Amino acid sequence: MVDNGIGLDDARYRAFCQLDTDFKKERGGKGVGRLFWLDSFADVRVESKYLGRGQIHDRAFAFLLSNDEQLSEDSRRLHLSRVKSTGTVVAFKGLREANYRKQFPASAELFKRYFSAHFIADFLMAKGPRVRLNIDGEEALYPEAVSSLVVGEPFEESTDEHKEFGVLKITDFTCKPEASTGLDGMHQLHLLADGRNVEPRKIDKLLGIERVRRNGQVDLVFHGCITGDYLNRHVNEGRTAFNLTESKVKELIRYCTEFIKEKFLTEQIAEYSEARREDYRGFVQRYPIYDFADEDTQLDRVPFWRPKPRRICNRPCEISNSKR
């Protein structure tokens, strides 16, 4: 991994040597992310060029998983030729455990898919750096590789003040289906904290509609990015998960999805709801035994995501489990 930043100057090197540093506090950095390097890889090496007192200097060291001397001077400087002026190279080698090796993408194409999926919210929100991914000579440029999947301009709106979640800002993107490659589900909400994507959540069933349409294209998917002080306060130190119960995360996701259906997908949701209602009416005409409550009550008992409510004839208990 190579960047063209200002490099590991003395101040940044001191911050690297200190765990739980507040050096990047204003950007949400906690100073513990590099520990995941040691957990995942057997060999981690860092080489950097930086400007100091008007001259270019360099430093190189191995980052080690040991009880003492975690940073060891590396005189070889194998990768510095890849840095033209200032910048840093981080080289990872040797996945540690079978669990990591087993899950690691085995092909270049699969790796690119997972890479895009993992960072898609950062690239959609233009929060991440420009990245050139080179695998066996084949390059992919980011965020271009992701932004090319977006159809139309994004929508952005904030929710009303929620008694617990406060105000949440939701930025919505309509994308080609490839944007969801490598993710669990097609329609996604991405929960961000301190400007970084923490975790995606599929909302296929909550949204109901199978595909989104826009600008004459009909086979599209929805990606929404959620930010807010509530999420910033409840993210863990590594920004890999939230310090919230699963039920609370699901409550937040449901709240945001209902907001999206009302504000951004109003017309499509209305069309889907009417088609769902008509389909239900046809069902009760054929099976009048289930017509024992008013229409709205019965439809509320059927999960919103079912594309064809008549399928409940295979599981009639879903609408008939009430006092008759």
Side-chain angles (χ1 to χ4, degrees):
M1 180 177 70
V2 185
D3 71 39
N4 61 351
I6 63 177
L8 275 177
D9 57 18
D10 291 342
R12 285 164 176 77
Y13 182 67
R14 285 194 299 270
F16 188 95
C17 295
Q18 179 183 348
L19 293 181
D20 201 20
T21 175
D22 60 0
F23 187 77
K24 292 185 178 180
K25 182 178 180 180
E26 73 282 357
R27 293 164 56 187
K30 307 294 179 65
V32 297
R34 74 198 74 132
L35 298 182
F36 292 107
W37 302 356
L38 298 176
D39 184 53
S40 305
F41 294 94
D43 190 293
V44 181
R45 297 181 184 274
V46 180
E47 302 179 15
S48 185
K49 288 182 181 179
Y50 60 94
L51 184 65
R53 297 181 180 179
Q55 293 183 326
I56 295 293
H57 303 269
D58 65 68
R59 57 168 41 102
F61 56 90
F63 191 28
L64 307 173
L65 184 63
S66 61
N67 291 328
D68 48 31
E69 298 298 332
Q70 288 83 22
L71 303 182
S72 175
E73 175 73 18
D74 185 358
S75 60
R76 293 180 295 172
R77 288 162 166 71
L78 299 175
H79 307 288
L80 273 182
S81 61
R82 301 168 67 183
V83 180
K84 294 181 179 179
S85 55
T86 62
T88 302
V89 181
V90 182
F92 304 100
K93 184 178 180 181
L95 288 170
R96 279 192 174 277
E97 301 296 336
N99 287 338
Y100 285 104
R101 291 194 295 271
K102 183 172 60 177
Q103 299 296 329
F104 200 82
S107 68
E109 185 60 34
L110 189 59
F111 182 89
K112 286 192 292 185
R113 290 181 185 178
Y114 276 92
F115 180 86
S116 298
H118 184 77
F119 293 107
I120 186 170
D122 301 286
F123 292 133
L124 286 174
M125 296 287 285
K127 296 292 185 181
R130 295 194 75 249
V131 175
R132 176 181 286 107
L133 180 65
N134 187 311
I135 304 177
D136 296 332
E138 184 176 338
E139 286 193 347
L141 298 177
Y142 297 87
E144 291 86 346
V146 169
S147 58
S148 66
L149 301 176
V150 178
V151 177
E153 294 297 317
F155 296 107
E156 184 175 280
E157 192 161 340
S158 297
T159 67
D160 294 331
E161 181 84 27
H162 186 276
K163 62 181 180 181
E164 183 174 0
F165 304 141
V167 176
L168 297 170
K169 186 168 71 175
I170 305 178
T171 308
D172 295 343
F173 300 86
T174 309
C175 303
K176 298 175 183 177
E178 301 93 287
S180 297
T181 300
L183 294 170
D184 179 21
M186 299 302 294
H187 305 302
Q188 304 284 331
L189 282 185
H190 304 275
L191 303 179
L192 283 71
D194 297 316
R196 182 180 295 183
N197 186 23
V198 178
E199 62 176 295
R201 290 291 180 119
K202 67 177 179 180
I203 56 170
D204 297 28
K205 293 182 178 181
L206 291 174
L207 206 58
I209 54 179
E210 293 185 8
R211 289 291 189 272
V212 178
R213 65 172 185 263
R214 192 170 186 194
N215 293 358
Q217 300 186 51
V218 296
D219 189 28
L220 303 176
V221 298
F222 178 89
H223 283 259
C225 298
I226 305 173
T227 59
D229 291 339
Y230 180 83
L231 295 174
N232 295 341
R233 292 196 308 270
H234 289 89
V235 70
N236 66 9
E237 285 195 343
R239 285 179 292 180
T240 57
F242 291 98
N243 299 318
L244 297 167
T245 63
E246 179 63 18
S247 61
K248 187 58 63 178
V249 175
K250 287 183 176 179
E251 180 185 345
L252 186 147
I253 292 295
R254 286 193 297 269
Y255 172 71
C256 291
T257 303
E258 290 304 313
F259 182 84
I260 289 163
K261 288 159 66 174
E262 177 184 346
K263 295 292 185 178
F264 301 111
L265 298 173
T266 312
E267 182 180 347
Q268 284 185 250
I269 294 297
E271 292 174 1
Y272 170 80
S273 297
E274 184 57 31
R276 180 174 177 265
R277 184 177 296 274
E278 289 299 321
D279 201 62
Y280 173 79
R281 288 169 180 167
F283 170 76
V284 295
Q285 286 180 356
R286 292 191 298 275
Y287 303 95
I289 189 174
Y290 298 116
D291 190 18
F292 52 80
D294 68 88
E295 190 174 272
D296 289 335
T297 299
Q298 292 291 68
L299 281 170
D300 285 344
R301 292 169 177 162
V302 181
F304 186 75
W305 61 270
R306 287 188 180 275
K308 294 185 181 299
R310 63 173 173 269
R311 292 180 184 174
I312 59 177
C313 64
N314 295 324
R315 298 182 63 187
C317 60
E318 291 191 12
I319 64 166
S320 60
N321 187 21
S322 62
K323 294 181 180 180
R324 291 200 268 179

